[in-house]
Amino acid sequence: MNKIRTDIKALLTLIGVINQLDKLLLPLRIITSALQNTLPYAGIYVSAYVVGSLTDGKPIESFLPRALWIIGITGTLNALVYAVMRVDNAHLLGADVAFQTLMGEKTLSLDYPSLENPETVTLRQKISQENSWGQSLWGIIGSIAGIFGTVLSLIIGIIILLPLLASFVNVNIWLGLAFIVFIALIMFIQTRIAAWSQKKRDTINDENSKQLKYYMQLVGNAGISYKDGKDVRLFDAHGLISRYLFLGQANVIKNLTDKMAGVSSANNGANTLVEAILTGANYIVVGAISLMGALPIGSVIFCAGAVGRVVGALGNLSYQGTSLLRIARRWNIVMGFFDIPPVLPKGKEGLPISSSERYEIEFHDVSFKYPGSDQCALKNLSMKIDPRQRIAVVGRNGSGKTTMVKLLCRLYDPTEGIITINGIDIKTIDYNTYMSLFSVVFQDFKLFSFSLGVNVAADLTYDESCAAESLDEAGFTERIEKMDRGLETPLYKDFEEDGVEISGGEAQKIALARALYKDAPFIVLDEPTAALDPIAEFEVYSKFNEIVGGKTAIYISHRLSSCRFCDDIAVFHEGELIQRGSHDALIADENGKYHELWNAQAQYYAENKKISDL
Ligand code: ADP
């Protein structure tokens, strides 16, 4: 029962999605399907009418005009159906794009905890492993419209067959019953054939998509993406890749064509045989009834034709119903993704009134566990960040520094405890307004394949002088001077031939410029110099106060030497804040973690090893 409810819910959502794409699609398709399913009756009628009139010895001119009229109108309507179907096909091509757009919009609107949640990641992987979602979105329109048209055809067929049924009652009711049992048997055989071929097709498709996935992930990308080119060349992996390219392609094509062709011909052969038996029996029985004088001769053609259509319609109905259900079941995976609810309260309040953006933030006994993890990434953190303070957060990898920042800028909410801004719980403040307070450069920041200026502004339109100034402050001036198109220079070569490749350090400077351009009252730099060379790193440090200006700055690093210029240092260890103070005060505490870390790092320096860990 529950399953049926979820299937119906999936179907209704799908119809909603289709209507969102285009309101005319479904009605148009229903009309075409209705015409496609009912027009053949006109053809059968004309044949029956002409034969009936001829056998009755009527002069040609008495029935020909009517027959021609019907043929003309049917022909025109058929042409119309094909014209509409051409438009359909254009939509079909766009359906995958439409589906990707919907997925993209949903992904962008997810709250960050949902995005990073392993369940979401698995769901997204499952969705991306199958690539015909747009088609199934489209298939559902075909099935719904198909069911509508088929039911119509069934109703018309049964109405036409009423005189035949009456004749059976008059002539021989047992013959009628035997005929109905025979038709039911034929239909049963047809359903078994359809189920068998569908099962075979599914198995082949599953097997094939596994191969295709492997082929695309392991081989396709390595062969296509220029970013993998270095490794392919240096490790002389060319032979390996091309062998797999060839094997993959050969396997994929062989699997598809050979096996599918085998199933199709078996399916078609069996169906043709069954249909031939049905048609033969159909004409014999209806003809016999006519010979017994219970039906005029013209009606033999009409009724025999209608029996064929009714049997076809019943078979079609079960096929369309099953495929509708299959799509709904498959679509449940996508629904799982579309149904991910918002998880962060978005708040309504404005920011607390403060003179010249002086905000004080405080963590009150905050603990945090990532979704799906039973380990505390932060434990009972109580910490105050005063307005315009420069605070360095240090500690070994995994000690909770980045997690603290994620909570601070509301990518996550604490599992326990609260964070306040000027004494007010940050959860009560309008989400976007609160987010606008922070400029953050994360370790794993991301630049986009747009122009340099767009990257700095994170917007398609930007203030050129501000963007240039931010890049200058971030130490990018020398590099931009070498770029012919300046701020218009596209980054990376994904979309533009003259896109530039940038080094890790250059990328970090652009990310820093983006944070400066935003000009928010808080600036958070998470390992901002990790990819910079020593000179660039020195420049960032020496200009740090100037760069940060009147903002509150939080500077995260596991490299203690980088933090000495901050007047306040917070030491994190295994998710806890264990020490806080100036460099001099902390180093003086010989039993403290800071002292231990400092000495350990100084030793690495001295022995000139593991510099990257310093
Ligand atoms: P740091 O920034 O000090 O290197 P993090 O705050 O990134 O440390 O990590 C703190 C702890 O939280 C680590 O044990 C890390 O493995 C865990 N962690 C970080 N991100 C996630 C995540 N998305 N899901 C689960 N655990 C995570």
Side-chain angles (χ1 to χ4, degrees), residues 360-364 366 382-385 418-421:
E360 174 196 276
I361 296 229
E362 189 166 0
F363 286 68
H364 302 261
V366 166
S382 290
M383 179 167 114
K384 202 184 213 178
I385 303 167
I418 60 163
I419 304 171
T420 56
I421 180 164

Side-chain angles (χ1 to χ4, degrees), residues 116 370 377 396-403 406:
E116 223 185 34
Y370 280 98
R396 303 191 60 165
N397 283 334
S399 57
K401 306 182 294 292
T402 303
T403 306
K406 286 184 185 164

